[in-house]
């Protein structure tokens, strides 16, 4: 693992517009960050695309990095992780997670709301009903209830009009209610 102080210096040089610093940062950190993106996305071509976007983001936002808030590698890992999550949540592509590897890559050890729900009998019924929903309403409901996002946040995340999100959630909840009763 690269020296944290050296990485901080490289990020500071990026903030000053020094392109060689970005090249060195890429050379030092891309193997670790690419491995993370590949584990989360399960496809190397998507991981390459996301990693490229992330290094552009690192370059553009390097002036916002604060060594007092986190170490450089932690900051860059968070950027990659969040970008992978955004990529996985795109409304036009629903990716299966048959072995749970994607969820494991971004979850901590504590069971999340979805895991706690699925472990109960009612949770199993709800999961079955959720699978019957179309992709858009299913994603909107999941983001609302499991990730605790507002309708506005969901609209921005899914790049969908706010009214559509509200309709998806309302109609989806009506369908879930009918399915569960």
């Amino acid at each position: 693992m690269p020296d944290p102080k050296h990485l901080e210096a490289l990020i500071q040089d990026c903030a000053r517009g020094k392109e060689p610093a970005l090249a060195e940062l890429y050379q030092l950190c891309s193997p670790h960050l690419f491995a993370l993106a590949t584990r989360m996305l399960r496809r190397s071509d998507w991981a390459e695309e996301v990693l490229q976007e992330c290094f552009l983001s690192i370059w553009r936002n390097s002036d916002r990095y604060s060594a007092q808030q986190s170490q450089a590698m932690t900051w860059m890992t968070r950027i990659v992780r969040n970008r992978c999550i955004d990529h996985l949540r795109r409304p036009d592509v629903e990716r299966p997670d048959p072995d749970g590897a994607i969820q494991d890559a971004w979850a901590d050890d504590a069971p999340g709301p979805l895991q706690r729900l699925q472990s109960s009998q009612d949770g199993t019924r709800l999961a079955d009903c959720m699978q019957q929903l179309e992709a858009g309403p299913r994603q909107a409901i999941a983001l609302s209830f499991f990730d605790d996002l507002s309708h506005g946040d969901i609209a921005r995340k899914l790049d969908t009009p706010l009214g559509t999100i509200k309709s998806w959630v309302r109609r989806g909840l009506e369908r879930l209610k009918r399915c569960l009763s």
Side-chain angles (χ1 to χ4, degrees), residues 53-103:
E53 293 171 8
C54 289
F55 271 95
L56 283 172
S57 180
I58 290 167
W59 173 257
R60 291 181 184 138
N61 296 299
S62 55
D63 59 329
R64 294 182 180 172
Y65 169 71
S66 169
Q68 290 78 25
Q69 291 182 342
S70 67
Q71 289 188 358
M73 185 57 90
T74 303
W75 180 71
M76 291 185 290
T77 299
R78 190 176 308 122
I79 290 172
V80 171
R81 178 184 169 275
N82 290 341
R83 190 64 57 110
C84 286
I85 291 169
D86 289 345
H87 190 83
L88 289 170
R89 289 182 175 163
R90 286 191 341 210
D92 58 333
V93 180
E94 190 168 325
R95 293 166 187 83
D97 186 21
D99 61 356
I102 295 171
Q103 185 175 355

Side-chain angles (χ1 to χ4, degrees), residues 21-42:
L22 181 65
E24 186 176 350
L25 196 62
Y26 182 87
Q27 181 182 13
L28 291 172
C29 301
S30 64
H32 171 75
L33 298 175
F34 179 73
L36 170 66
T38 303
R39 275 193 317 272
M40 290 185 71
L41 299 173
R42 316 264 308 188

Side-chain angles (χ1 to χ4, degrees), residues 10-22 59 62-63:
L10 289 172
I11 292 174
Q12 290 170 354
D13 285 346
C14 287
R16 291 184 205 105
K18 297 182 179 178
E19 291 180 21
L22 181 65
W59 173 257
S62 55
D63 59 329

Side-chain angles (χ1 to χ4, degrees), residues 138-167:
R138 182 173 51 244
Q139 284 181 311
I141 289 172
L143 290 171
S144 178
F145 290 95
F146 300 129
D147 291 352
D148 199 29
L149 295 180
S150 70
H151 289 150
D153 291 338
I154 296 168
R156 283 187 290 281
K157 189 152 293 276
L158 298 180
D159 194 28
T160 304
L162 179 60
T164 302
I165 296 298
K166 289 180 179 181
S167 295

